[in-house]
Short mmCIF file of all heavy atoms in Angstrom, two decimals:
data_model
loop_
_atom_site.label_atom_id
_atom_site.label_comp_id
_atom_site.label_asym_id
_atom_site.label_seq_id
_atom_site.Cartn_x
_atom_site.Cartn_y
_atom_site.Cartn_z
N LEU A 1 3.34 -8.42 1.59
CA LEU A 1 3.98 -7.50 0.66
C LEU A 1 3.69 -6.08 1.12
O LEU A 1 2.55 -5.73 1.42
CB LEU A 1 3.45 -7.71 -0.75
CG LEU A 1 4.00 -6.74 -1.80
CD1 LEU A 1 5.42 -7.12 -2.19
CD2 LEU A 1 3.10 -6.67 -3.02
N PHE A 2 4.73 -5.25 1.15
CA PHE A 2 4.59 -3.83 1.46
C PHE A 2 5.09 -3.02 0.27
O PHE A 2 6.00 -3.44 -0.45
CB PHE A 2 5.42 -3.47 2.70
CG PHE A 2 5.04 -4.22 3.93
CD1 PHE A 2 5.68 -5.41 4.27
CD2 PHE A 2 4.03 -3.76 4.77
CE1 PHE A 2 5.33 -6.12 5.42
CE2 PHE A 2 3.67 -4.45 5.92
CZ PHE A 2 4.32 -5.64 6.24
N PHE A 3 4.51 -1.86 0.05
CA PHE A 3 5.01 -0.96 -0.98
C PHE A 3 4.56 0.46 -0.64
O PHE A 3 3.59 0.68 0.08
CB PHE A 3 4.54 -1.36 -2.38
CG PHE A 3 3.05 -1.51 -2.54
CD1 PHE A 3 2.27 -0.47 -3.04
CD2 PHE A 3 2.41 -2.71 -2.21
CE1 PHE A 3 0.89 -0.61 -3.20
CE2 PHE A 3 1.04 -2.86 -2.37
CZ PHE A 3 0.27 -1.81 -2.86
N SER A 4 5.29 1.44 -1.17
CA SER A 4 5.00 2.86 -0.91
C SER A 4 4.21 3.46 -2.05
O SER A 4 4.38 3.07 -3.21
CB SER A 4 6.29 3.66 -0.74
OG SER A 4 6.99 3.30 0.42
N ASP A 5 3.38 4.45 -1.73
CA ASP A 5 2.89 5.39 -2.74
C ASP A 5 3.62 6.69 -2.45
O ASP A 5 3.31 7.40 -1.50
CB ASP A 5 1.38 5.58 -2.64
CG ASP A 5 0.83 6.39 -3.80
OD1 ASP A 5 1.61 7.18 -4.39
OD2 ASP A 5 -0.36 6.28 -4.11
N ASN A 6 4.63 6.97 -3.27
CA ASN A 6 5.51 8.10 -2.97
C ASN A 6 5.02 9.42 -3.52
O ASN A 6 5.72 10.43 -3.43
CB ASN A 6 6.94 7.82 -3.44
CG ASN A 6 7.07 7.79 -4.95
OD1 ASN A 6 6.20 8.24 -5.69
ND2 ASN A 6 8.19 7.26 -5.43
N ALA A 7 3.81 9.44 -4.09
CA ALA A 7 3.27 10.69 -4.62
C ALA A 7 1.84 10.94 -4.14
O ALA A 7 1.15 11.80 -4.67
CB ALA A 7 3.31 10.68 -6.14
N SER A 8 1.41 10.18 -3.14
CA SER A 8 0.05 10.38 -2.63
C SER A 8 -0.03 11.68 -1.84
O SER A 8 0.97 12.19 -1.35
CB SER A 8 -0.39 9.20 -1.77
OG SER A 8 0.54 8.98 -0.71
N SER A 9 -1.23 12.20 -1.72
CA SER A 9 -1.44 13.48 -1.03
C SER A 9 -2.40 13.27 0.14
O SER A 9 -3.37 12.51 0.02
CB SER A 9 -2.03 14.50 -2.01
OG SER A 9 -2.27 15.74 -1.38
N PRO A 10 -2.13 13.86 1.30
CA PRO A 10 -1.14 14.92 1.56
C PRO A 10 0.24 14.39 1.95
O PRO A 10 1.17 15.16 2.12
CB PRO A 10 -1.76 15.68 2.73
CG PRO A 10 -2.47 14.61 3.50
CD PRO A 10 -3.03 13.68 2.47
N SER A 11 0.39 13.07 2.11
CA SER A 11 1.69 12.52 2.47
C SER A 11 1.87 11.16 1.84
O SER A 11 0.90 10.44 1.57
CB SER A 11 1.81 12.40 4.00
OG SER A 11 3.04 11.79 4.36
N GLU A 12 3.11 10.79 1.63
CA GLU A 12 3.42 9.45 1.16
C GLU A 12 2.92 8.42 2.19
O GLU A 12 2.82 8.71 3.37
CB GLU A 12 4.94 9.28 0.99
CG GLU A 12 5.54 10.25 -0.02
CD GLU A 12 5.90 11.60 0.58
OE1 GLU A 12 5.43 11.93 1.71
OE2 GLU A 12 6.64 12.35 -0.06
N ARG A 13 2.61 7.21 1.72
CA ARG A 13 2.10 6.20 2.63
C ARG A 13 2.57 4.82 2.22
O ARG A 13 3.01 4.61 1.09
CB ARG A 13 0.57 6.25 2.66
CG ARG A 13 -0.10 6.26 1.29
CD ARG A 13 -1.58 6.59 1.41
NE ARG A 13 -2.20 6.69 0.09
CZ ARG A 13 -3.51 6.81 -0.10
NH1 ARG A 13 -4.33 6.83 0.94
NH2 ARG A 13 -4.01 6.90 -1.30
N ILE A 14 2.48 3.88 3.16
CA ILE A 14 2.84 2.49 2.91
C ILE A 14 1.56 1.67 2.84
O ILE A 14 0.69 1.77 3.71
CB ILE A 14 3.76 1.94 4.01
CG1 ILE A 14 5.09 2.70 4.04
CG2 ILE A 14 4.03 0.44 3.78
CD1 ILE A 14 6.02 2.29 5.18
N TRP A 15 1.47 0.85 1.78
CA TRP A 15 0.37 -0.10 1.62
C TRP A 15 0.87 -1.50 1.95
O TRP A 15 2.08 -1.77 1.95
CB TRP A 15 -0.12 -0.08 0.18
CG TRP A 15 -0.87 1.15 -0.25
CD1 TRP A 15 -0.33 2.37 -0.53
CD2 TRP A 15 -2.28 1.26 -0.45
NE1 TRP A 15 -1.32 3.25 -0.90
CE2 TRP A 15 -2.53 2.59 -0.85
CE3 TRP A 15 -3.34 0.38 -0.32
CZ2 TRP A 15 -3.81 3.05 -1.15
CZ3 TRP A 15 -4.62 0.82 -0.61
CH2 TRP A 15 -4.85 2.16 -1.01
N LYS A 16 -0.08 -2.41 2.19
CA LYS A 16 0.28 -3.81 2.36
C LYS A 16 -0.70 -4.70 1.61
O LYS A 16 -1.85 -4.32 1.37
CB LYS A 16 0.32 -4.20 3.84
CG LYS A 16 -1.03 -4.29 4.51
CD LYS A 16 -0.87 -4.82 5.94
CE LYS A 16 -2.23 -5.03 6.61
NZ LYS A 16 -2.08 -5.59 7.98
N LEU A 17 -0.22 -5.88 1.24
CA LEU A 17 -1.05 -6.89 0.59
C LEU A 17 -0.71 -8.23 1.22
O LEU A 17 0.47 -8.61 1.26
CB LEU A 17 -0.78 -6.93 -0.92
CG LEU A 17 -1.56 -7.98 -1.70
CD1 LEU A 17 -3.02 -7.59 -1.81
CD2 LEU A 17 -0.96 -8.17 -3.10
N VAL A 18 -1.72 -8.94 1.70
CA VAL A 18 -1.51 -10.23 2.33
C VAL A 18 -2.14 -11.31 1.45
O VAL A 18 -3.36 -11.49 1.47
CB VAL A 18 -2.13 -10.28 3.74
CG1 VAL A 18 -1.79 -11.61 4.43
CG2 VAL A 18 -1.64 -9.11 4.60
N PRO A 19 -1.34 -12.00 0.63
CA PRO A 19 -1.91 -13.05 -0.22
C PRO A 19 -2.57 -14.14 0.62
O PRO A 19 -2.16 -14.38 1.77
CB PRO A 19 -0.67 -13.60 -0.95
CG PRO A 19 0.33 -12.48 -0.87
CD PRO A 19 0.09 -11.84 0.46
N PRO A 20 -3.62 -14.81 0.12
CA PRO A 20 -4.08 -14.79 -1.28
C PRO A 20 -5.00 -13.62 -1.63
O PRO A 20 -5.49 -13.56 -2.75
CB PRO A 20 -4.81 -16.11 -1.42
CG PRO A 20 -5.37 -16.35 -0.05
CD PRO A 20 -4.32 -15.86 0.90
N SER A 21 -5.22 -12.72 -0.69
CA SER A 21 -6.05 -11.55 -1.00
C SER A 21 -5.41 -10.75 -2.13
O SER A 21 -4.19 -10.65 -2.24
CB SER A 21 -6.19 -10.65 0.23
OG SER A 21 -6.81 -9.43 -0.10
N THR A 22 -6.23 -10.18 -2.98
CA THR A 22 -5.76 -9.31 -4.05
C THR A 22 -6.22 -7.87 -3.81
O THR A 22 -6.22 -7.06 -4.73
CB THR A 22 -6.26 -9.79 -5.42
OG1 THR A 22 -7.69 -9.87 -5.40
CG2 THR A 22 -5.67 -11.15 -5.76
N THR A 23 -6.60 -7.57 -2.58
CA THR A 23 -7.04 -6.22 -2.23
C THR A 23 -6.05 -5.60 -1.25
O THR A 23 -5.99 -6.00 -0.08
CB THR A 23 -8.43 -6.24 -1.59
OG1 THR A 23 -9.36 -6.86 -2.48
CG2 THR A 23 -8.90 -4.82 -1.29
N PRO A 24 -5.23 -4.64 -1.69
CA PRO A 24 -4.29 -4.00 -0.79
C PRO A 24 -4.99 -3.05 0.18
O PRO A 24 -6.11 -2.60 -0.08
CB PRO A 24 -3.35 -3.23 -1.74
CG PRO A 24 -4.16 -3.02 -2.97
CD PRO A 24 -5.13 -4.14 -3.07
N SER A 25 -4.33 -2.76 1.28
CA SER A 25 -4.88 -1.82 2.26
C SER A 25 -3.78 -0.89 2.75
O SER A 25 -2.59 -1.22 2.69
CB SER A 25 -5.50 -2.57 3.44
OG SER A 25 -4.53 -3.37 4.09
#
């Protein structure tokens, strides 16, 4: 799973989550 944080500072970024882990990176 990928998703954006479109309001993070200093720039927007993409996170990922690889199940069964519940800790995104």
Side-chain angles (χ1 to χ4, degrees):
L1 177 76
F2 301 92
F3 55 96
S4 293
D5 188 335
N6 69 15
S8 56
S9 179
S11 177
E12 300 86 345
R13 50 191 176 171
I14 297 175
W15 289 76
K16 72 174 184 178
L17 178 72
V18 185
S21 171
T22 57
T23 303
S25 60

